[in-house]
Amino acid sequence: MPRLVMKFGGTSVADMERIRAVAQKVKREVDNGYDVAVVVSAMAGETNKLVGFVRDAAQPPGCDHMGLYDAREYDAIVASGEQVTSGLLALALQEMGVPARSWQGWQIPIRTTSAHGAARIEKIETANLEAKFAEGLHAVVAGFQGLAEDNRIATLGRGGSDTSAVALAAALGAERCDIYTDVDGVYTTDPRIERRAAKLHRISYEEMLELASMGAKVLQTRSVELAMRYKVRLQVLSSFVDAPGTLVCDEEEILEQNVVSGVAYSRDEAKVTLLSVADRPGVAAAIFGPLADAGVNVDMIVQNISEDGRTDMTFSCSMDDLPRARHALEKAAESISYRELVVDDAVAKVSVVGIGMRSHTGVAQKAFQVLANEGVNIKVINTSEIKVSVLIDRKYLELAVQALHAAFDLDKAA
Ligand code: ADP
Ligand code: ASP
Ligand code: MG
């Protein structure tokens, strides 16, 4: 039988009524003749609530040790949301006469690295699932989680159920991986910020990868990486309306290609500057080594040499990583030797993405001019072959996204 992976996000499984609606959609595909593996997220808001419990337990009110907690226990706690929804959906399917069984990451098993809280899937052993398919039993898999090398539950980073779904589709050789969510496809920008955002019928893996890694949370970055690598046909569509979604596919499958495909943003960024660092070989390694060891995901980096032979080093990271970044740099203060650590925790990142930038010049200049016209100051710039990103004050985020979206005519895209 052909196989299909269907993934439902948090809002799609927010309560029993929605879980029953999901079961109906799954039943339809079962009736179409597929062996189905459904991947579910936790109910909407549940993972945030669990993360809140962790913070409270590890950093009680009034405590100032900066939210550093044991990532193994974080994983044990936050993975539990998906356990509930996988069981509930299996029951709802059974009630509809569809034989189904729930699976936790460790039961399949989905093997991951030991980077707790941000683990990567290394291997999915599909024999157990396949044996059950052969018995006519469909699978409901708890997303977001796997089994780490240390034999403990590991989670895949926020939004990780998308990655569970794509990895499973690749391992099972599924015909397609359908990601059901609360929007009916991938838009030119987040429709919550720009109501004129247009739905894209198709988007290339590469552009989707760049949009996702720049903050468009409709798909987790790693899920797009895996889809691209294993050529998984990935579709994003709505749980609530029956409408064609967006197909993520090879560039060659797209006929009309705009220079710019979309605008992405990441709201909760921080800018960190080390003032007056010695300008000598090894100083960058002395700074970014401890940050890497602390698991800080450094994004943009700027170095400015001043006339006195000292240098200012600026980088950005997510607000989530800021406590660890600060802690690591304060611990390494002696070996780095800087005058002051300055943090700007009110910045956001906006990015313009498009494959057409490879062959068209002037996109960056146009983006800078648009922001200048709106009086938005650019704090840091970063570019790649198909992207221009800027760090700006968070209060201008909506304005910047809307202005760029309009300037690149994205409301007319499709
Ligand atoms: P789920 O819980 O189903 O995984 P997410 O909240 O993770 O859903 O992702 C869907 C959300 O992504 C949408 O509600 C939308 O606000 C946001 N989003 C950001 N950028 C885009 C985009 N370019 N296209 C569509 N949705 C986007
Ligand atoms: N429940 C997890 C989260 O909120 C994983 C997911 O929904 O993809 O991040
Ligand atoms: Mg998501």
Side-chain angles (χ1 to χ4, degrees):
M1 292 245 241
R3 292 170 183 164
L4 188 65
V5 172
M6 305 169 78
K7 180 260 172 178
F8 293 88
T11 40
S12 315
V13 293
D15 54 39
M16 258 339 284
E17 196 186 325
R18 290 191 179 174
I19 290 177
R20 282 189 200 99
V22 165
Q24 282 293 355
K25 282 192 182 296
V26 175
K27 182 173 185 315
R28 204 163 65 189
E29 300 294 4
V30 168
D31 292 344
N32 284 338
Y34 285 103
D35 277 340
V36 180
V38 194
V39 174
V40 285
S41 290
M43 289 181 183
E46 197 56 30
T47 310
N48 285 346
K49 196 172 98 189
L50 295 167
V51 172
F53 287 152
V54 175
R55 292 206 172 122
D56 193 5
Q59 187 187 9
C63 154
D64 64 354
H65 66 59
M66 300 195 297
L68 305 167
Y69 41 73
D70 183 322
R72 284 172 182 76
E73 299 313 332
Y74 167 93
D75 277 351
I77 297 156
V78 300
S80 64
E82 274 73 8
Q83 178 159 344
V84 175
T85 44
S86 58
L88 290 174
L89 180 59
L91 282 180
L93 284 165
Q94 290 173 9
E95 284 299 305
M96 278 172 201
V98 177
R101 183 59 71 216
S102 69
W103 296 82
Q104 305 311 298
W106 62 269
Q107 289 171 307
I108 294 180
I110 295 175
R111 303 222 176 253
T112 74
T113 60
S114 291
H116 284 276
R120 286 163 81 93
I121 295 178
E122 296 206 305
K123 189 162 188 267
I124 302 186
E125 292 167 30
T126 54
N128 291 335
L129 280 182
E130 284 173 303
K132 294 296 175 191
F133 278 155
E135 292 172 22
L137 213 56
H138 301 276
V140 185
V141 177
F144 185 45
Q145 51 165 277
L147 184 65
E149 288 147 12
D150 57 8
N151 245 3
R152 303 198 63 89
I153 295 173
T155 63
L156 310 177
R158 297 305 305 271
S161 299
D162 298 329
T163 301
S164 310
V166 173
L168 202 54
L172 288 171
E175 200 175 286
R176 244 182 21 247
C177 180
D178 289 342
I179 306 281
Y180 287 87
T181 181
D182 57 2
V183 274
D184 61 351
V186 178
Y187 279 69
T188 46
T189 193
D190 187 348
R192 285 178 209 270
I193 282 209
E194 172 53 272
R195 61 185 174 76
R196 276 165 298 199
K199 184 161 86 181
L200 298 162
H201 299 307
R202 290 179 176 223
I203 183 162
S204 67
Y205 290 117
E206 259 183 277
E207 284 169 312
M208 190 64 240
L209 187 60
E210 200 80 67
L211 282 174
S213 67
M214 292 301 113
K217 67 171 188 157
V218 60
L219 288 173
Q220 199 199 31
T221 308
R222 181 77 182 136
S223 73
V224 188
E225 255 170 37
L226 289 179
M228 187 157 137
R229 176 138 133 230
Y230 295 103
K231 291 276 173 262
V232 174
R233 273 190 103 68
L234 186 61
Q235 196 178 200
V236 178
L237 64 176
S238 167
S239 278
F240 309 114
V241 272
D242 259 328
T246 300
L247 182 71
V248 187
C249 58
D250 275 325
E251 200 180 325
E252 292 74 39
E253 293 183 63
I254 303 173
L255 299 175
E256 294 268 323
Q257 186 76 60
N258 294 328
V259 177
V260 167
S261 297
V263 179
Y265 67 88
S266 171
R267 187 183 296 277
D268 296 315
E269 296 289 307
K271 176 161 100 44
V272 180
T273 304
L274 292 175
L275 291 176
S276 191
V277 181
D279 184 21
R280 58 168 169 79
V283 73
I287 294 171
F288 294 106
L291 288 169
D293 292 343
V296 175
N297 211 338
V298 172
D299 184 14
M300 302 168 159
I301 300 176
V302 189
Q303 186 181 11
N304 278 323
I305 313 288
S306 59
E307 281 166 7
D308 62 358
R310 309 287 289 180
T311 168
D312 293 343
M313 188 74 88
T314 296
F315 68 89
S316 69
C317 64
S318 74
M319 283 291 286
D320 280 347
D321 282 356
L322 182 60
R324 269 176 288 136
R326 210 195 268 264
H327 184 72
L329 292 172
E330 283 169 356
K331 238 174 62 185
E334 219 164 283
S335 55
I336 304 170
S337 162
Y338 55 85
R339 195 182 72 226
E340 202 184 337
L341 175 74
V342 183
V343 172
D344 183 349
D345 59 5
V347 291
K349 183 173 61 175
V350 180
S351 309
V352 171
V353 172
I355 266 182
M357 283 185 215
R358 283 195 195 128
S359 46
H360 286 72
T361 53
V363 173
Q365 188 279 332
K366 182 167 169 178
F368 301 154
Q369 189 59 55
V370 168
L371 295 174
N373 295 347
E374 298 293 337
V376 177
N377 191 28
I378 299 172
K379 301 190 161 202
V380 183
I381 299 171
N382 197 12
T383 62
S384 80
E385 206 189 5
I386 65 164
K387 158 209 95 185
V388 181
S389 297
V390 292
L391 212 59
I392 59 172
D393 278 332
R394 194 174 297 140
K395 63 182 177 202
Y396 296 128
L397 176 64
E398 278 81 4
L399 172 69
V401 169
Q402 289 162 0
L404 291 166
H405 192 268
F408 288 101
D409 289 331
L410 289 173
D411 45 348
K412 300 179 192 79

